[in-house]
């Protein structure tokens, strides 16, 4: 009987986190690096990306940066050639363009679906072949409580995150046989730049604190443990699952 402690170590593993120059992605990058991984950070804004790499390097972490736009098939292909084989992929890059559907531009629809959903297909398709070849890999899709729940003005975002939940399951259906584990994290309302306008709205802030059983906004650090688990050997039999990390919001009305 195996009675040793579970293995959460990421020693010897190489990870790419998309959209990791700030916010949730940067926190996940730091956590995976602190757990032993060599981490590649990503974003489009090179100054912001370089600053994030410098900050984590100064903390003694094994990090590099690779700027590319996750919505560009050619840039994703080039990045995969530059980065080479990885053990862990976190599809984190995402944006918001809030608008009532009736007023939503096609551009706002398409840029959110492209960034929040299609990018996960493009980046995973680019890196999965090497994982299949080595018969080992971890893919973590950053979904949302909006993979399950919608609210007015976020129809594009909810559609994308709902799709990402199902893409996670689709990847499981095709790649679990190659010893690749594909899972998702569904954060609740987390304090980042993406939600800053909502936090600044006293009424919305109060609503979130009342609607969330934990009675607070989430912190990026609330998500790191699940990411380390899903990136480590401890999760080798977890597949196709979405962990809602939302302070209980989706558990109660
Ligand atoms: P954030 O603070 O706005 O950070 C977004 C990151 O993605 C930035 O590093 C940004 O850098 C990068 N990015 C955006 N478009 C990109 C593109 N086309 N190619 C490459 N990188 C791109 O957002 P966040 O709150 O950390 O959100 C991160 C993820 O968590 C998103 O998928 C979001 O949907 C999800 N999420 C957030 C919350 C929340 O409450 N905050 C809750 C649930 C899920 P550049 O702009 O320089 O490219
Ligand atoms: C919004 C927010 C949400 C959060 C997050 C919740 O406008 O309601 O942006 O979509 O970003 O996805 O989990």
């Amino acid at each position: 009987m195996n009675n040793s402690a579970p293995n959460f170590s990421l020693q010897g593993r190489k990870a790419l986190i998309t959209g990791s120059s700030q916010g949730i992605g940067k926190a996940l990058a730091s956590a995976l690096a602190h757990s032993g991984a060599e981490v590649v950070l990503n974003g489009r804004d090179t100054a912001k990306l370089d600053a994030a790499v410098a900050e984590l390097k100064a903390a003694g972490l094994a990090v590099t940066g690779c700027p590319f736009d996750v919505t560009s098939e050619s840039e994703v292909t080039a990045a995969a050639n530059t980065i080479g084989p990885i053990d862990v992929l976190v599809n984190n890059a995402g944006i918001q363009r809030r608008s009532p559907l009736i007023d939503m531009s096609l551009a706002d629809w398409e840029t959110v679906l492209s960034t929040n959903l299609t990018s996960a297909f493009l980046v995973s398709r680019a890196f999965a072949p090497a994982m299949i070849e080595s018969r080992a890999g971890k893919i973590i899709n950053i979904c949302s409580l909006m993979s399950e729940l919608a609210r007015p003005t976020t129809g594009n975002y909810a559609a994308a995150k709902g799709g990402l939940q199902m893409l996670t399951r689709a990847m499981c259906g095709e790649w679990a046989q190659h010893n690749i584990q594909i899972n998702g994290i569904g954060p609740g309302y987390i304090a980042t730049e993406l939600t800053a306008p909502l936090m600044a709205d006293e009424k919305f802030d109060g609503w979130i604190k009342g609607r969330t059983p934990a009675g607070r906004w989430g912190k990026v650090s609330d998500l790191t443990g699940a990411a380390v688990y899903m990136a480590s050997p401890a999760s080798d039999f977890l597949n196709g699952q979405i962990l809602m990390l939302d302070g209980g919001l989706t558990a109660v009305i």
Side-chain angles (χ1 to χ4, degrees), residues 11-99:
Q11 287 296 340
R13 294 191 172 195
K14 185 174 181 179
L16 165 65
I17 297 96
T18 65
S20 48
S21 59
Q22 66 185 58
I24 290 170
K26 186 173 142 194
L28 299 186
S30 176
L32 268 59
H34 274 103
S35 298
E38 176 197 343
V39 175
V40 181
L41 279 66
N42 159 257
R44 294 162 301 175
D45 180 325
T46 52
K48 193 163 56 170
L49 180 62
D50 292 347
V53 169
E55 181 188 330
L56 297 189
K57 268 188 175 170
L61 300 173
V63 298
T64 55
C66 185
F68 65 93
D69 181 342
V70 296
T71 68
S72 163
E73 188 172 25
S74 59
E75 289 193 31
V76 169
T77 302
N81 291 332
T82 301
I83 296 167
I86 58 174
D87 305 285
V88 182
L89 169 62
V90 182
N91 288 306
N92 169 76
I95 59 171
Q96 261 291 12
R97 294 287 184 277
R98 300 177 186 90
S99 160

Side-chain angles (χ1 to χ4, degrees), residues 79-244:
N81 291 332
T82 301
I83 296 167
I86 58 174
D87 305 285
V88 182
L89 169 62
V90 182
N91 288 306
N92 169 76
I95 59 171
Q96 261 291 12
R97 294 287 184 277
R98 300 177 186 90
S99 160
L101 288 170
I102 202 80
D103 302 327
M104 189 177 288
S105 68
L106 180 58
D108 277 355
W109 172 268
E110 287 181 340
T111 194
V112 169
L113 268 293
S114 175
T115 308
N116 296 17
L117 177 57
T118 306
S119 69
F121 158 70
L122 287 175
V123 181
S124 302
R125 186 187 63 175
F127 286 95
M131 292 179 175
I132 291 170
E133 178 71 27
S134 62
R135 284 198 55 77
K138 301 281 189 179
I139 297 175
I140 304 167
N141 294 322
I142 305 303
C143 297
S144 164
L145 64 76
M146 289 199 155
S147 296
E148 295 285 356
L149 300 176
R151 78 176 185 86
T153 73
T154 62
N156 46 2
Y157 185 98
K161 292 299 186 180
L164 188 57
Q165 175 166 263
M166 287 312 299
L167 181 59
T168 302
R169 293 170 180 161
M171 290 175 177
C172 170
E174 293 190 22
W175 295 341
Q177 63 185 306
H178 303 297
N179 190 35
I180 300 170
Q181 291 82 49
I182 310 96
N183 293 289
I185 293 172
Y189 280 85
I190 312 294
T192 69
E193 194 175 296
L194 185 144
T195 51
L198 305 176
M199 291 191 78
D201 178 327
E202 205 173 318
K203 188 171 172 223
F204 195 98
D205 175 57
W207 176 68
I208 288 297
K209 287 170 179 168
R211 180 67 181 78
T212 304
R216 66 173 173 86
W217 287 76
K219 308 184 296 285
V220 290
S221 58
D222 288 321
L223 308 174
T224 56
V228 170
Y229 164 63
M230 289 181 179
S232 76
S235 62
D236 282 355
F237 201 54
L238 184 77
N239 227 316
Q241 303 305 309
I242 311 298
L243 178 62
M244 287 296 177

